[in-house]
Amino acid sequence: MGGGLHPRRAIYRWLAIFVIAVGAGVWLLPATAQTERAGAAPRTAAKTRAKAAATAPQDKIADIQVQGIKRIEKSTVLSYLLIQPGDPWDAERIDDSLKALYATGLFADVKLDRDGNTLVVKVVENPIINRIAFEGNHKLADKDLNGAIQLRPHVVYTRSRVQADVRHILDLYRQHEHFAATVEPKVVQLSENRVDLIFEINEGPSTGVRAINFVGNQAFSDGTLRGIISTKESRWYRFFSNADAYDPERLTYDRELLRKFYLSQGYADFRVVSAIAELTPNRDGFVVTFTVDEGHRYKFGKVDVNIKLKGLPRQEVLPLLTVKSGDWYDADAVEKSISVLTDVLGDRGYAFVEVKPEIVRHRQARTIDITFDVQEGPRVYVERIDIVGNVRTLDKVIRREMQLVEGDAFNANKLKRSQERIKNLGFFKKVELTQRQGSAPDRTIVTVEVEEQSTGDLSFGLGLSTTDGPLIDASIGEKNFLGRGEDVRIGGVLSFRSQQVTLSFTNPYFLDKPVAAGFDLFEVKTSPTSNFFSGIVPAYEQFSYGGSLRMGYQISDNLRQTLKYTARSDTITDIQSDASLFIQLEAGTHYTSSVGQVLLYDRRDSRIDPTSGYYASVGNDFAGVGFGVDYVRNKVTAGYYYPIAPEWVLSLTGEAGDIFGWGGEPVLLQDRFFVGGDNLRGFAPAGIGPRDIVSDDALGGNKYYVGSLALGVPLGLPKELGVTGQVFTDFGSLWGNDQKHLVLTPAQLASTGGIQPQVFDTAAIRASIGVGVKWASPVGPVRVSLAVPVKRESEDQTQFFRIDFGTRF
């Protein structure tokens, strides 16, 4: 071989040089790491420093220095470190200390360096917020936005908190239909490490629900289904409502509303395939699309009961069912049958009854057989009822609505009805009833969780009436006074025809019994025979004041009785010089002390806008209790409603009354009946009945009856507009006046020029036909009617056009 190195030895030499170079490079690394800011990788830097410390000749921390603090105490910084003087240099613990300092949110930057055996902690404190401002907000006030964010003046500013508050502001705008809103936070640097935080807001256009579409519906039109769901399309008249705001939770609720509606109409296979809300291309609104599968419509086939209780014959249970074979299938009727069976059997001593419907669907015949399986349920008792969430409302207000009490046999149906009763109070935003295992297997604990809402209201109304003219109506009330469930209200009405002030108080559970008791105080000044648009000066005015005590209670679910005592003063005053002598003779003040009662049986589906069912009531008043005028007054009312087709409702309503004096006393002017206007369209207020032939003044009558046969008809407009039509015929009569037999004294005859006044008085029927329109407008109900008398008397006064408009807000 020559003088050179052997190739293998040359390779070994170069490897040795490479290893020595790498080792030297490690030893020459600096002891400090690069600056670490928020968002960097502090763990890697800390591990590098820890590794350098671990290879140092001395491996103990001699001291810890803190640099960069201004308002934060050194001890505070040290308290977050996981390593102390005297501890060994540990890369993991240094890394964890770095993370702990960042996690405090107090610092914008943190560095951990080694200087010999000293650990140097360098920090940059986060600034303090001096003030928070909002710019560009018009739809939402500053106080609303402040309520949505978490940051406040004089707290530490951090970028993560600001971004969280940006999301909170955007969520609030989405709740108010502004899904296109943007928020940009700006920071203004101030002295002493302070900043002003400004949220620049671009609210964008309102993003309400522009359209609601349905796909797959054949049995019901889009307009009908829009009337079922709670979400509404944006319209100009919905400025008092947020129903046209897109809300995902409301959309979920709408799916359930559609399902319940179709199941009540016989569509047992119905399902909502999808409910999708899409933003329009310019992001100014949502288009909601429901895709439905209606399926076939079913009727009830065989309806039966399967009794598994001893001593209970099947024949006694069958008549209790509310579903009948051959009727269209109705899920609501099935639930009602379960409720009726549970209640009736519970009253008969079957405390643990359980009713389960067994359904057999025949798709070819499109019928559904249903068998109500009645058996003994598990023997479980209510151990305790816990009520949570009520801050203002007393526990007893909630407990008295419960159909279950401690010690009762547990009943799921009664628990469900208890939840509905508590909701109907109107005191709570949320009501949830749940149960859990008690202290033993046969014990259960019921928890009632509520979330309270505002129960006070301040209302102000404007209106227009053919009779009253322009009117103002204002009231202030609290229906959960002092959290006791008591209702207190004071209100007043000012119009061309009347001025009145009322104060009322009602305790729905007087002496903790299911008896509603209360009182009313009133002061009223009115012109009973006036008509705003007639331009005729009223013949007289009546000033009344007084009060009443009342008490009402339910005899059964549909039967209610009300008892009342009234004491009042009535003054006939401001009589016109050319008014009837019969009116002038009754000038002055008369007092009334009366007791009365009203017995009401009501089976209507709604008292506000009934579409089916009936009602009847009987009222009686006896005056002359201790003092005042003497009379007996009786009144009966009744009504029947029948849906002949969807949105076509036939109704027949009527009332009749009779009043007579006892002890030889005549019935006075203020106590008589007047008919016309509201209760007999086509005729003016007080337009029919006994009348002075000379002065043409209405005198009122002692007997009357009125009735109305009406057919509600759809007008082809979207149901959501709330506009309905009506074709009607009204009929009635008013007669019987004590004054027609009055014989004047010579002095009274002298005042009339020797002419004996005559009273026109006949019991002949009057009738009219007409059409009307009712609009449930956002500013209150508007009723317009056109009626023409087809049967009238010569002395009657007519009125072709009538309008009533009112609002409360």
Side-chain angles (χ1 to χ4, degrees), residues 738-771:
D738 297 336
Q739 291 178 314
K740 65 182 178 182
H741 304 299
L742 181 64
V743 178
L744 300 183
T745 65
Q748 292 170 339
L749 279 172
S751 65
T752 63
I755 301 175
Q756 172 74 34
Q758 304 228 348
V759 176
F760 172 81
D761 188 2
T762 176
I765 188 173
R766 280 79 155 181
S768 65
I769 58 173
V771 296

Side-chain angles (χ1 to χ4, degrees), residues 109 153 157 261 263 350 447 605 627 689 718 725 768 800:
D109 193 14
Y157 167 92
F261 171 72
L263 288 179
Y350 297 94
T447 300
D605 60 344
F627 63 90
S768 65
F800 172 68

Side-chain angles (χ1 to χ4, degrees), residues 356-546:
K356 294 182 179 179
E358 295 181 357
I359 293 176
V360 178
R361 185 182 284 106
H362 302 285
R363 300 187 184 277
Q364 296 294 330
R366 295 181 186 175
T367 60
I368 292 179
D369 295 342
I370 181 168
T371 300
F372 293 92
D373 190 23
V374 183
Q375 58 185 337
E376 187 173 6
R379 291 181 174 271
V380 178
Y381 296 89
V382 178
E383 178 179 345
R384 192 173 72 248
I385 297 177
D386 296 333
I387 300 176
V388 297
N390 55 316
V391 178
R392 180 167 174 263
T393 306
L394 301 180
D395 276 10
K396 70 175 185 179
V397 174
I398 301 173
R399 288 184 181 276
R400 65 196 184 192
E401 300 300 328
M402 293 290 295
Q403 299 290 288
L404 294 169
V405 298
E406 283 89 347
D408 279 359
F410 177 78
N411 185 296
N413 186 60
K414 288 185 177 181
L415 188 70
K416 181 180 178 181
R417 290 211 312 276
S418 298
Q419 183 173 3
E420 293 173 353
R421 286 169 60 93
I422 297 173
K423 283 182 179 179
N424 291 339
L425 290 174
F427 303 163
F428 308 108
K429 186 186 305 182
K430 182 184 72 172
V431 178
E432 291 184 0
L433 271 66
T434 57
Q435 62 175 119
R436 67 180 189 274
Q437 176 70 49
S439 60
D442 63 343
R443 297 289 186 269
T444 186
I445 297 174
V446 176
T447 300
V448 182
E449 183 179 358
V450 299
E451 181 181 347
E452 293 181 324
Q453 64 182 5
S454 174
T455 55
D457 65 87
L458 173 65
S459 63
F460 180 76
L462 298 175
L464 175 67
S465 170
T466 310
T467 301
D468 294 307
L471 61 88
I472 299 174
D473 182 359
S475 71
I476 182 172
E478 170 58 60
K479 58 184 179 181
N480 190 15
F481 185 62
L482 299 179
R484 299 174 178 271
E486 299 167 344
D487 191 300
V488 179
R489 188 166 302 276
I490 183 171
V493 177
L494 176 64
S495 72
F496 168 80
R497 187 187 188 195
S498 65
Q499 302 86 47
Q500 65 178 357
V501 178
T502 58
L503 170 65
S504 65
F505 170 83
T506 302
N507 183 345
Y509 277 81
F510 183 61
L511 299 178
D512 290 329
K513 304 294 183 183
V515 175
F519 66 83
D520 303 288
L521 301 176
F522 60 87
E523 181 178 287
V524 182
K525 184 178 182 181
T526 184
S527 304
T529 61
S530 65
N531 186 350
F532 176 75
F533 287 102
S534 68
I536 301 175
V537 178
Y540 68 96
E541 289 187 344
Q542 179 177 322
F543 177 73
S544 306
Y545 67 89

Side-chain angles (χ1 to χ4, degrees), residues 179-416:
F179 281 79
T182 59
V183 179
E184 183 69 25
K186 301 291 185 182
V187 177
V188 179
Q189 299 289 340
L190 302 175
S191 61
E192 300 178 356
N193 200 25
R194 296 174 302 124
V195 295
D196 284 345
L197 177 60
I198 302 173
F199 291 98
E200 294 184 355
I201 301 172
N202 180 4
E203 295 180 327
S206 175
T207 48
V209 177
R210 294 290 179 259
I212 300 176
N213 302 318
F214 294 88
V215 178
N217 53 311
Q218 301 293 330
F220 301 98
S221 66
D222 285 11
T224 299
L225 298 182
R226 290 190 190 105
I228 299 300
I229 62 177
S230 59
T231 303
K232 303 299 179 185
E233 294 180 341
S234 296
R235 294 292 184 268
W236 66 268
Y237 51 78
R238 289 209 168 93
F239 47 83
F240 283 133
S241 169
N242 66 346
D244 56 348
Y246 169 67
D247 185 345
E249 293 185 3
R250 184 185 290 136
L251 212 62
T252 301
Y253 177 58
D254 288 338
R255 295 172 67 113
E256 179 62 17
L257 290 177
L258 287 171
R259 190 187 71 84
K260 292 184 66 176
F261 171 72
Y262 270 93
L263 288 179
S264 68
Q265 300 298 316
Y267 293 88
D269 297 330
F270 173 82
R271 64 189 183 97
V272 178
V273 178
S274 64
I276 301 173
E278 299 176 302
L279 267 174
T280 56
N282 56 358
R283 301 180 63 84
D284 65 346
F286 282 91
V287 176
V288 178
T289 303
F290 292 92
T291 302
V292 301
D293 181 5
E294 292 181 330
H296 297 299
R297 195 179 189 190
Y298 291 82
K299 287 187 175 183
F300 282 114
K302 180 182 178 182
V303 177
D304 201 357
V305 292
N306 181 19
I307 307 296
K308 297 181 180 179
L309 298 177
K310 294 181 179 180
L312 183 63
R314 171 175 170 274
Q315 292 74 14
E316 291 186 15
V317 177
L318 274 175
L320 301 176
L321 301 178
T322 60
V323 299
K324 306 295 181 185
S325 179
D327 290 347
W328 290 111
Y329 175 77
D330 185 349
D332 292 339
V334 174
E335 290 296 326
K336 187 175 181 180
S337 290
I338 295 174
S339 178
V340 170
L341 288 175
T342 303
D343 289 345
V344 174
L345 296 180
D347 293 340
R348 295 185 182 183
Y350 297 94
F352 299 97
V353 67
E354 188 174 57
V355 181
K356 294 182 179 179
E358 295 181 357
I359 293 176
V360 178
R361 185 182 284 106
H362 302 285
R363 300 187 184 277
Q364 296 294 330
R366 295 181 186 175
T367 60
I368 292 179
D369 295 342
I370 181 168
T371 300
F372 293 92
D373 190 23
V374 183
Q375 58 185 337
E376 187 173 6
R379 291 181 174 271
V380 178
Y381 296 89
V382 178
E383 178 179 345
R384 192 173 72 248
I385 297 177
D386 296 333
I387 300 176
V388 297
N390 55 316
V391 178
R392 180 167 174 263
T393 306
L394 301 180
D395 276 10
K396 70 175 185 179
V397 174
I398 301 173
R399 288 184 181 276
R400 65 196 184 192
E401 300 300 328
M402 293 290 295
Q403 299 290 288
L404 294 169
V405 298
E406 283 89 347
D408 279 359
F410 177 78
N411 185 296
N413 186 60
K414 288 185 177 181
L415 188 70
K416 181 180 178 181

